C-alpha cells in the first residue's frame, strides 16, 4: 500500500518538528546557557541512514524507541566536558541555595569562575568559608541584609593576591574574624559586617578582633559599609586604604599600623566603640578628616604610642564628643590638628610631648580643653570655652600661643610646676569663671 502524503516523512522531518526551544528548568529570572568554553561532544552525529528512514504510522513508535536507544548508547560512549560552568544570559554565575541558580554554593562558583567573572548571590544564608585567589566581582542580588555569609570559625573570607570588587552582602559571626585581604586590591562597598570578630578592649587582642584585616601591601577601598558589634578595621604593613563614608557602631574602630602613602580615613561615623574611634600608630602621613566620633571610652582619635617619631597624620575637620580624650597624641608624633570640633569629652586635645600644630579648633564643655605635657607645639587661633580647665601647660612644654580665645572656663589657664604662660601671640584669655 502506498502511504499517504501526510505520513510519507523521514525521521529527520519528525525530529525537526519537535525541536522546539524551551527554557531550562530551575531558573526563575536567569536563562542558562553553555558558554563558548564548553567542549563539544566529539563525534556527535545521527547517522544519515537513520535520519532517512521513512516513518510510517504503524512504525512510528518503534522508530522512536530505536532512536532513543541509539541516543542513549551514543551518549554513554562519548566524553562530556563539565569544566566550563553554566552561566546566566549576561555571562555571570548565579548562586542560589534553592537550586534557582547556576550553583548552590559560593565556594563551587568561585572554583568554577575565571578571572574577570561576576558572581551574583541570591538572598539566603551561605554557611561556608570562602577563599578567593581570582580577579572576581561578587554582587548581592537583593538587599544586603538578606544575603548572608556566616561561619562559626573565622575568617569568613580570605582574598589572596587578587583584584576583587564586592557589594551587597552581609558577613556575620560567630566567626573569630571577618574578611582578610592579603595583597592584591579590593573595592568593598555597601556591605554589612555584623558581630564579626571580638571588639577590641585591650592591646594586644587576646583573640582575633577584626571585622576587616588588610595586610601585605594590599590596596583597598572601604566605602559606605556598616560595621556593627564586632571587631576593628585593621590596615597593616604597608597597605593603603581609602576608608570613606562607613558607619561603625557598638564596638568596632579603625586601626592603622604603618599604612602606605595616600591612606585616607574620611567622613565615617563611629559610635559606642568599646575603646577608641580611630588610631594611627606607626610611621604614617595618613589624612583623617570629616569623621564624627561619639561616645567612645578611651580616645576619639589616638596618634602613636610611647615614642612615635614619624607618625604625622593630618587630623582635620572631625567632630568628637562624649569620649575620654578627644585627640590624644603620643610623644614625638607631629600631627597637624586643625579645624576640629571637640566638645563634652574628658580632655579635648592632649599632647604628651609633641611638636604638633593645633590650629583653628573649636573646643567646648570638656573637662580640660587643651593639655600640653611637653614639646614645642604651635597653638594658633583655637577657641576653648565652657570647660573645667581651658588650657593646661606642664613645665616640660614650651608652646607658641597665637590668637587663641580661652574664656568662660572654670579655670582658663592652669600652669603645672615651673610652667609659664608665653607672653606672645595676641591671645584673648579671660578671667577665670571660678574667681567670680
Amino acid at each position: 500500500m502506498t502511504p499517504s502524503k501526510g505520513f510519507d516523512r523521514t525521521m529527520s522531518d519528525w525530529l525537526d518538528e519537535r525541536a522546539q526551544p524551551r527554557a531550562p528548568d530551575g531558573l526563575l529570572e536567569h536563562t542558562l546557557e553553555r558558554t563558548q568554553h564548553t567542549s563539544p561532544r566529539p563525534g556527535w552525529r545521527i547517522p544519515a541512514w537513520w535520519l532517512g528512514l521513512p516513518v510510517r504510522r504503524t512504525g512510528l513508535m518503534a522508530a522512536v524507541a530505536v532512536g532513543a536507544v541509539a541516543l542513549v548508547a551514543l551518549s554513554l560512549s562519548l566524553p562530556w566536558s563539565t569544566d566550563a560552568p553554566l552561566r546566566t544570559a549576561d555571562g555571570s554565575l548565579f548562586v542560589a541555595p534553592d537550586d534557582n541558580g547556576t550553583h548552590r554554593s559560593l565556594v563551587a562558583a568561585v572554583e568554577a569562575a575565571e578571572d574577570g567573572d561576576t558572581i551574583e548571590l541570591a538572598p539566603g544564608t551561605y554557611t561556608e568559608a570562602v577563599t578567593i585567589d581570582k580577579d572576581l566581582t561578587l554582587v548581592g542580588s537583593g538587599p544586603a541584609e538578606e544575603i548572608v555569609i556566616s561561619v562559626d570559625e573565622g575568617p569568613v573570607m580570605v582574598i589572596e593576591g587578587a583584584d576583587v570588587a564586592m557589594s551587597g552582602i552581609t558577613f556575620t559571626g560567630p566567626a573569630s574574624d571577618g574578611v582578610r585581604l592579603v595583597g592584591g586590591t579590593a573595592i568593598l562597598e555597601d556591605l554589612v559586617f555584623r558581630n564579626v570578630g571580638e571588639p577590641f578592649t585591650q592591646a594586644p587582642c587576646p583573640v582575633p578582633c577584626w571585622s576587616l584585616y588588610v595586610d601585605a601591601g594590599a590596596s583597598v577601598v572601604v566605602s559606605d559599609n556598616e560595621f556593627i558589634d564586632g571587631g576593628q578595621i585593621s590596615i597593616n604593613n604597608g597597605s593603603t586604604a581609602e576608608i570613606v563614608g562607613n558607619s561603625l557602631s557598638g564596638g568596632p574602630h579603625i586601626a592603622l599600623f604603618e599604612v602606605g602613602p595616600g591612606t585616607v580615613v574620611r567622613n565615617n561615623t563611629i559610635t559606642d566603640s568599646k575603646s577608641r574611634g580611630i588610631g594611627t600608630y606607626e610611621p604614617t602621613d595618613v589624612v583623617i578628616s570629616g569623621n564624627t566620633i561619639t561616645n567612645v571610652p578611651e580616645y576619639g582619635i589616638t596618634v602613636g604610642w610611647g615614642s612615635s617619631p614619624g607618625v604625622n597624620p593630618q587630623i582635620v575637620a572631625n567632630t568628637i564628643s562624649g569620649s575620654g580624650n578627644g585627640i590624644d597624641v603620643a610623644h614625638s608624633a607631629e600631627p597637624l590638628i586643625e579645624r576640629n570640633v571637640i566638645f563634652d569629652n574628658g580632655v579635648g586635645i592632649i599632647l604628651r610631648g609633641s611638636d604638633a600644630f593645633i590650629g583653628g579648633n573649636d573646643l567646648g564643655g570638656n573637662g580640660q580643653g587643651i593639655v600640653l605635657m611637653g614639646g614645642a607645639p604651635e597653638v594658633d587661633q583655637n577657641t576653648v570655652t565652657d570647660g573645667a580647665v581651658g588650657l593646661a601647660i606642664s613645665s616640660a612644654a614650651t608652646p607658641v600661643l597665637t590668637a587663641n580665645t580661652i574664656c568662660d572656663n572654670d579655670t582658663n589657664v592652669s600652669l603645672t610646676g615651673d610652667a609659664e604662660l608665653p607672653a606672645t601671640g595676641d591671645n584673648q584669655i579671660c578671667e577665670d569663671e571660678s574667681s567670680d
Side-chain angles (χ1 to χ4, degrees), residues 118-139:
T118 294
I119 299 176
E120 298 180 60
L121 280 78
T125 298
Y126 302 87
T127 54
E128 49 186 326
V130 184
T131 297
I132 299 176
D133 57 3
K134 303 172 184 177
D135 300 345
L136 300 175
T137 297
L138 274 65
V139 181

Side-chain angles (χ1 to χ4, degrees), residues 41-45 73-80:
R41 301 183 72 173
W44 177 260
R45 298 285 190 274
L74 190 58
S75 177
L76 292 174
S77 66
L78 296 175
W80 179 260

Side-chain angles (χ1 to χ4, degrees), residues 311-383:
V311 183
N312 306 319
Q314 299 177 45
I315 303 173
V316 179
N318 302 280
T319 299
I320 306 171
S321 64
S323 302
N325 296 342
I327 298 175
D328 191 306
V329 180
H331 177 66
S332 300
E334 297 183 9
L336 169 72
I337 303 173
E338 190 172 44
R339 303 195 314 276
N340 300 281
V341 177
I342 305 170
F343 61 95
D344 294 340
N345 304 281
V347 176
I349 299 172
I350 180 169
L351 307 184
R352 301 180 184 274
S354 166
D355 296 341
F357 176 83
I358 305 175
N361 300 282
D362 186 359
L363 299 97
N366 301 287
Q368 299 179 81
I370 298 175
V371 177
L372 308 176
M373 298 178 64
E378 296 181 48
V379 183
D380 183 74
Q381 299 184 54
N382 301 280
T383 299

Side-chain angles (χ1 to χ4, degrees), residues 9-143:
R9 300 174 298 144
T10 66
M11 180 64 71
S12 179
D13 296 329
W14 185 82
L15 290 175
D16 286 342
E17 290 175 5
R18 283 154 177 75
Q20 300 298 324
R22 72 181 185 90
D25 296 333
L27 284 183
L28 297 179
E29 298 179 356
H30 291 74
T31 302
L32 300 182
E33 59 183 13
R34 287 278 173 183
T35 68
Q36 60 184 353
H37 305 292
T38 304
S39 301
R41 301 183 72 173
W44 177 260
R45 298 285 190 274
I46 297 178
W49 62 266
W50 188 74
L51 289 175
L53 287 175
V55 180
R56 313 289 183 186
R57 179 187 299 271
T58 56
L60 177 58
M61 296 307 295
V64 170
V66 171
V69 171
L71 287 172
V72 171
L74 190 58
S75 177
L76 292 174
S77 66
L78 296 175
W80 179 260
S81 172
T82 58
D83 294 337
L86 289 168
R87 297 173 185 269
T88 65
D90 63 4
S92 64
L93 288 76
F94 189 71
V95 184
D98 58 1
D99 290 327
N100 283 334
T102 62
H103 298 81
R104 294 188 64 183
S105 161
L106 176 56
V107 170
V110 170
E111 290 176 350
E114 300 175 353
D115 283 342
D117 276 343
T118 294
I119 299 176
E120 298 180 60
L121 280 78
T125 298
Y126 302 87
T127 54
E128 49 186 326
V130 184
T131 297
I132 299 176
D133 57 3
K134 303 172 184 177
D135 300 345
L136 300 175
T137 297
L138 274 65
V139 181
S141 182

Side-chain angles (χ1 to χ4, degrees), residues 256-261 263 280-287 309-313:
L256 310 173
F257 298 92
E258 198 173 358
V259 298
T263 292
T280 177
Y281 301 105
E282 297 178 20
T284 177
D285 295 319
V286 65
V287 175
V311 183
N312 306 319

Side-chain angles (χ1 to χ4, degrees), residues 210-222:
W210 308 288
S211 291
L212 173 62
Y213 187 89
V214 181
D215 199 11
S219 177
V220 64
V221 175
V222 184

